[in-house]
Amino acid sequence: MDRPQSDSVSIDLDVPLSAGSEGTLAPLLAPEPPSRAPAGRARMFSILGPRDRRRVELTTTAAPWRMVCALRIETGAGVFNGTGWLAGPSTVITAGHCLHNPAFGGWARRVTVIPGQSWNKRPFGAAVSTRFDCAPPWLADRDRAHDIGCIHLDEPAGERVGWMKYDAIDPAALPRTAAVVSGYPEYAGSYEHLLVAKGPVRTSLEGRLYYEIDTTDGQSGGPVWIGDVAAPTVVAVHGYEADATPAEVGPGVNSGALLTPDHLRLIHTWQGG
Protein backbone atom coordinates (compact mmCIF):
# COMPACT_ATOMS: atom_id res chain seq x y z
CA MET A 1 0.00 0.00 0.00
CA ASP A 2 1.12 3.58 -0.57
CA ARG A 3 1.98 5.90 2.28
CA PRO A 4 -0.79 8.44 2.91
CA GLN A 5 0.27 12.02 2.34
CA SER A 6 -2.34 14.09 4.16
CA ASP A 7 -1.20 13.72 7.76
CA SER A 8 2.44 12.76 7.33
CA VAL A 9 5.53 14.87 7.82
CA SER A 10 8.64 15.07 5.70
CA ILE A 11 11.31 12.91 7.34
CA ASP A 12 14.27 11.61 5.39
CA LEU A 13 14.46 8.00 6.51
CA ASP A 14 17.76 7.48 4.70
CA VAL A 15 19.56 9.87 7.02
CA PRO A 16 21.29 8.14 9.99
CA LEU A 17 19.31 8.24 13.21
CA SER A 18 21.90 10.54 14.77
CA ALA A 19 25.22 12.03 13.77
CA GLY A 20 26.61 10.48 16.95
CA SER A 21 25.40 6.97 16.23
CA GLU A 22 28.14 4.38 15.99
CA GLY A 23 25.88 1.96 14.19
CA THR A 24 26.10 1.07 10.53
CA LEU A 25 22.72 1.20 8.84
CA ALA A 26 22.65 -1.18 5.89
CA PRO A 27 19.77 -1.48 3.41
CA LEU A 28 17.40 -4.39 3.77
CA LEU A 29 16.12 -6.79 1.18
CA ALA A 30 13.20 -5.70 -0.97
CA PRO A 31 9.78 -6.35 0.59
CA GLU A 32 8.31 -9.76 -0.07
CA PRO A 33 4.67 -10.86 -0.11
CA PRO A 34 2.94 -11.91 3.13
CA SER A 35 3.39 -15.58 3.96
CA ARG A 36 2.18 -18.12 6.47
CA ALA A 37 4.32 -19.10 9.43
CA PRO A 38 4.63 -22.76 10.53
CA ALA A 39 1.58 -24.41 12.09
CA GLY A 40 -0.74 -22.12 10.16
CA ARG A 41 0.05 -19.00 12.17
CA ALA A 42 -0.34 -15.80 10.18
CA ARG A 43 2.91 -13.91 9.81
CA MET A 44 2.71 -10.26 10.80
CA PHE A 45 3.73 -8.27 7.74
CA SER A 46 3.26 -4.52 7.57
CA ILE A 47 5.67 -2.78 5.24
CA LEU A 48 3.76 0.42 4.62
CA GLY A 49 5.21 1.72 1.38
CA PRO A 50 6.72 0.46 -1.87
CA ARG A 51 9.97 -0.48 -0.15
CA ASP A 52 11.14 -1.58 3.28
CA ARG A 53 12.53 1.47 5.10
CA ARG A 54 14.16 -0.44 7.95
CA ARG A 55 17.91 -0.84 8.43
CA VAL A 56 20.12 -3.37 10.19
CA GLU A 57 21.93 -1.94 13.23
CA LEU A 58 25.33 -3.61 13.30
CA THR A 59 26.78 -2.00 16.44
CA THR A 60 24.52 -3.45 19.10
CA THR A 61 27.12 -3.01 21.84
CA ALA A 62 26.42 0.75 21.78
CA ALA A 63 23.58 2.45 23.66
CA PRO A 64 20.64 2.37 23.23
CA TRP A 65 20.74 -0.69 20.96
CA ARG A 66 22.25 -2.96 23.62
CA MET A 67 19.20 -2.28 25.80
CA VAL A 68 16.88 -3.85 23.19
CA CYS A 69 16.53 -7.61 23.64
CA ALA A 70 15.74 -10.51 21.34
CA LEU A 71 13.23 -12.89 22.95
CA ARG A 72 12.91 -16.64 22.42
CA ILE A 73 9.50 -17.49 23.85
CA GLU A 74 8.93 -21.16 24.72
CA THR A 75 5.29 -22.18 24.92
CA GLY A 76 3.12 -25.26 24.80
CA ALA A 77 2.52 -24.47 21.12
CA GLY A 78 6.18 -24.13 20.15
CA VAL A 79 8.84 -21.43 20.16
CA PHE A 80 7.90 -17.89 19.21
CA ASN A 81 10.09 -14.80 18.73
CA GLY A 82 9.62 -11.31 20.07
CA THR A 83 11.36 -8.19 21.30
CA GLY A 84 11.75 -6.54 24.69
CA TRP A 85 13.67 -3.66 26.25
CA LEU A 86 15.30 -3.17 29.60
CA ALA A 87 13.42 -0.77 31.87
CA GLY A 88 15.50 -1.45 34.98
CA PRO A 89 18.29 -3.68 36.26
CA SER A 90 16.15 -6.84 36.16
CA THR A 91 13.00 -5.68 34.34
CA VAL A 92 12.34 -6.30 30.65
CA ILE A 93 9.21 -4.77 29.12
CA THR A 94 7.51 -6.40 26.13
CA ALA A 95 4.05 -6.81 24.65
CA GLY A 96 1.55 -8.67 26.80
CA HIS A 97 0.74 -11.00 23.91
CA CYS A 98 4.38 -12.16 23.91
CA LEU A 99 3.83 -13.59 27.41
CA HIS A 100 0.14 -14.48 27.70
CA ASN A 101 -1.62 -15.44 24.51
CA PRO A 102 -4.42 -17.84 23.53
CA ALA A 103 -2.08 -19.11 20.80
CA PHE A 104 0.18 -20.36 23.60
CA GLY A 105 -2.66 -21.82 25.62
CA GLY A 106 -2.11 -19.09 28.21
CA TRP A 107 1.23 -18.15 29.74
CA ALA A 108 4.58 -18.73 28.10
CA ARG A 109 6.65 -21.42 29.81
CA ARG A 110 9.95 -19.60 29.72
CA VAL A 111 11.67 -16.80 27.81
CA THR A 112 15.32 -16.41 26.86
CA VAL A 113 16.33 -12.73 26.88
CA ILE A 114 19.31 -11.70 24.73
CA PRO A 115 20.36 -8.03 25.05
CA GLY A 116 22.00 -6.54 21.98
CA GLN A 117 22.06 -9.70 19.87
CA SER A 118 23.66 -9.23 16.46
CA TRP A 119 23.68 -12.08 13.97
CA ASN A 120 24.88 -15.09 16.00
CA LYS A 121 26.74 -12.93 18.52
CA ARG A 122 25.48 -12.44 22.05
CA PRO A 123 27.81 -9.74 23.40
CA PHE A 124 26.09 -9.60 26.79
CA GLY A 125 25.09 -13.24 27.09
CA ALA A 126 21.53 -14.38 27.71
CA ALA A 127 19.18 -14.79 30.67
CA VAL A 128 16.34 -17.27 31.04
CA SER A 129 13.22 -16.39 33.00
CA THR A 130 10.02 -18.16 33.99
CA ARG A 131 8.52 -15.20 35.90
CA PHE A 132 6.18 -12.89 34.00
CA ASP A 133 3.48 -10.28 34.55
CA CYS A 134 0.99 -8.53 32.26
CA ALA A 135 -1.20 -5.47 32.64
CA PRO A 136 -4.51 -6.63 34.21
CA PRO A 137 -6.70 -5.24 31.37
CA TRP A 138 -4.71 -7.33 28.90
CA LEU A 139 -5.29 -10.50 30.91
CA ALA A 140 -8.96 -9.73 31.49
CA ASP A 141 -10.11 -8.34 28.16
CA ARG A 142 -7.22 -8.47 25.66
CA ASP A 143 -7.35 -4.67 25.67
CA ARG A 144 -4.81 -3.56 23.05
CA ALA A 145 -4.27 -0.26 24.86
CA HIS A 146 -2.83 -2.33 27.73
CA ASP A 147 -0.89 -4.91 25.70
CA ILE A 148 2.13 -4.61 27.97
CA GLY A 149 4.01 -7.25 29.93
CA CYS A 150 7.09 -7.75 32.04
CA ILE A 151 9.81 -10.39 32.17
CA HIS A 152 11.49 -10.61 35.58
CA LEU A 153 15.16 -11.50 35.38
CA ASP A 154 16.95 -13.26 38.23
CA GLU A 155 20.16 -11.43 37.37
CA PRO A 156 20.64 -7.66 36.94
CA ALA A 157 21.49 -7.57 33.23
CA GLY A 158 20.65 -3.88 33.20
CA GLU A 159 23.59 -3.15 35.46
CA ARG A 160 25.86 -4.23 32.61
CA VAL A 161 24.08 -2.70 29.63
CA GLY A 162 21.89 0.03 31.15
CA TRP A 163 18.17 0.53 30.65
CA MET A 164 15.95 2.83 28.64
CA LYS A 165 14.23 5.95 29.87
CA TYR A 166 10.46 5.82 29.48
CA ASP A 167 7.67 8.28 30.15
CA ALA A 168 3.97 8.99 29.73
CA ILE A 169 3.90 11.88 27.26
CA ASP A 170 0.81 14.00 26.64
CA PRO A 171 -0.78 12.29 23.60
CA ALA A 172 -1.58 15.70 22.09
CA ALA A 173 2.16 16.41 21.84
CA LEU A 174 3.03 13.28 19.87
CA PRO A 175 1.37 13.60 16.42
CA ARG A 176 3.87 14.65 13.71
CA THR A 177 6.76 13.75 16.02
CA ALA A 178 9.51 11.54 14.60
CA ALA A 179 9.62 8.16 16.35
CA VAL A 180 11.87 5.10 16.16
CA VAL A 181 10.92 1.42 16.40
CA SER A 182 13.58 -1.26 16.79
CA GLY A 183 13.33 -5.01 17.22
CA TYR A 184 14.12 -8.52 16.09
CA PRO A 185 11.90 -9.62 13.19
CA GLU A 186 12.65 -12.35 10.71
CA TYR A 187 15.45 -11.29 8.37
CA ALA A 188 17.91 -13.37 6.33
CA GLY A 189 16.36 -16.56 7.66
CA SER A 190 16.61 -15.81 11.39
CA TYR A 191 15.45 -13.51 14.19
CA GLU A 192 19.01 -12.54 15.19
CA HIS A 193 19.33 -9.12 13.54
CA LEU A 194 18.33 -5.81 15.13
CA LEU A 195 16.25 -3.81 12.65
CA VAL A 196 15.59 -0.10 13.09
CA ALA A 197 13.29 2.37 11.37
CA LYS A 198 12.00 5.85 12.03
CA GLY A 199 8.99 7.76 10.81
CA PRO A 200 6.25 10.14 11.88
CA VAL A 201 3.63 9.56 14.54
CA ARG A 202 0.22 10.08 12.96
CA THR A 203 -2.06 10.14 16.00
CA SER A 204 -3.09 8.49 19.25
CA LEU A 205 -6.53 7.05 19.88
CA GLU A 206 -8.00 5.27 22.88
CA GLY A 207 -4.64 4.46 24.43
CA ARG A 208 -2.80 3.40 21.28
CA LEU A 209 -0.13 5.22 19.30
CA TYR A 210 -0.18 5.04 15.48
CA TYR A 211 2.98 5.62 13.44
CA GLU A 212 4.16 5.36 9.84
CA ILE A 213 7.02 2.97 10.58
CA ASP A 214 7.65 -0.39 8.92
CA THR A 215 7.52 -3.49 11.13
CA THR A 216 7.18 -7.25 10.68
CA ASP A 217 6.66 -10.37 12.78
CA GLY A 218 9.00 -10.56 15.77
CA GLN A 219 9.06 -6.84 16.56
CA SER A 220 6.16 -7.05 19.01
CA GLY A 221 7.26 -5.71 22.37
CA GLY A 222 9.92 -3.43 20.93
CA PRO A 223 10.36 0.13 22.21
CA VAL A 224 8.74 3.02 20.36
CA TRP A 225 10.85 6.01 21.26
CA ILE A 226 11.23 9.70 20.52
CA GLY A 227 14.21 12.00 20.84
CA ASP A 228 17.82 11.71 19.76
CA VAL A 229 19.57 8.35 19.80
CA ALA A 230 21.82 9.69 22.56
CA ALA A 231 18.83 10.32 24.85
CA PRO A 232 15.76 8.33 23.71
CA THR A 233 12.50 8.21 25.65
CA VAL A 234 10.21 5.21 25.18
CA VAL A 235 6.59 6.32 24.80
CA ALA A 236 4.88 3.12 23.59
CA VAL A 237 5.29 -0.65 23.23
CA HIS A 238 4.99 -1.88 19.66
CA GLY A 239 2.35 -4.53 19.07
CA TYR A 240 0.22 -4.35 15.91
CA GLU A 241 0.33 -4.22 12.15
CA ALA A 242 -1.73 -2.02 9.86
CA ASP A 243 -4.61 -4.53 9.68
CA ALA A 244 -5.33 -3.77 13.35
CA THR A 245 -5.75 -0.04 12.70
CA PRO A 246 -9.30 1.34 13.05
CA ALA A 247 -10.85 3.02 10.02
CA GLU A 248 -10.97 6.44 11.68
CA VAL A 249 -7.16 6.51 11.91
CA GLY A 250 -6.74 5.71 8.22
CA PRO A 251 -4.50 3.29 6.35
CA GLY A 252 -0.75 2.96 6.36
CA VAL A 253 0.18 2.87 10.04
CA ASN A 254 1.31 0.37 12.65
CA SER A 255 0.62 0.77 16.35
CA GLY A 256 1.51 0.06 19.94
CA ALA A 257 0.22 0.56 23.46
CA LEU A 258 0.83 4.15 24.55
CA LEU A 259 2.47 4.42 27.96
CA THR A 260 0.23 6.14 30.50
CA PRO A 261 0.73 7.22 34.12
CA ASP A 262 -1.02 3.99 35.16
CA HIS A 263 1.49 1.99 33.13
CA LEU A 264 4.38 3.84 34.75
CA ARG A 265 3.06 2.92 38.18
CA LEU A 266 2.62 -0.68 37.05
CA ILE A 267 6.20 -0.87 35.73
CA HIS A 268 7.43 0.59 39.03
CA THR A 269 5.56 -2.19 40.84
CA TRP A 270 7.08 -4.80 38.53
CA GLN A 271 10.55 -3.45 39.23
CA GLY A 272 10.06 -4.41 42.85
CA GLY A 273 9.33 -8.03 42.04
Side-chain angles (χ1 to χ4, degrees), residues 65-213:
W65 316 120
R66 65 184 181 226
M67 304 166 192
V68 183
C69 307
L71 305 182
R72 305 289 175 260
I73 305 162
E74 299 177 39
T75 79
V79 178
F80 293 73
N81 299 278
T83 301
W85 47 279
L86 281 152
S90 304
T91 304
V92 175
I93 300 301
T94 185
H97 71 256
C98 289
L99 302 176
H100 191 280
N101 195 317
F104 305 166
W107 287 101
R109 292 179 176 177
R110 70 176 192 168
V111 178
T112 301
V113 177
I114 312 164
Q117 178 161 351
S118 180
W119 300 67
N120 60 354
K121 297 178 181 178
R122 298 181 174 188
F124 305 102
V128 177
S129 179
T130 58
R131 299 191 298 122
F132 320 119
D133 275 304
C134 287
W138 173 252
L139 295 176
D141 302 312
R142 292 291 182 264
D143 187 338
R144 290 175 173 175
H146 299 277
D147 190 357
I148 296 173
C150 170
I151 303 166
H152 299 283
L153 303 180
D154 292 325
E155 57 182 82
E159 291 184 357
R160 289 180 287 133
V161 304
W163 53 87
M164 301 193 76
K165 176 185 175 183
Y166 54 92
D167 202 358
I169 304 297
D170 180 359
L174 291 173
R176 303 180 65 83
T177 299
V180 176
V181 178
S182 55
Y184 287 90
E186 182 183 4
Y187 169 64
S190 76
Y191 291 81
E192 299 174 342
H193 313 275
L194 180 63
L195 271 60
V196 181
K198 66 178 178 180
V201 172
R202 180 178 297 177
T203 191
S204 61
L205 179 68
E206 296 179 348
R208 291 169 64 192
L209 192 68
Y210 296 88
Y211 33 85
E212 298 173 35
I213 303 175

Side-chain angles (χ1 to χ4, degrees), residues 246-273:
E248 57 265 42
V249 174
V253 288
N254 296 314
S255 65
L258 182 66
L259 293 180
T260 67
D262 285 344
H263 293 144
L264 301 191
R265 287 188 285 270
L266 185 60
I267 293 172
H268 181 72
T269 300
W270 287 339
Q271 288 171 338

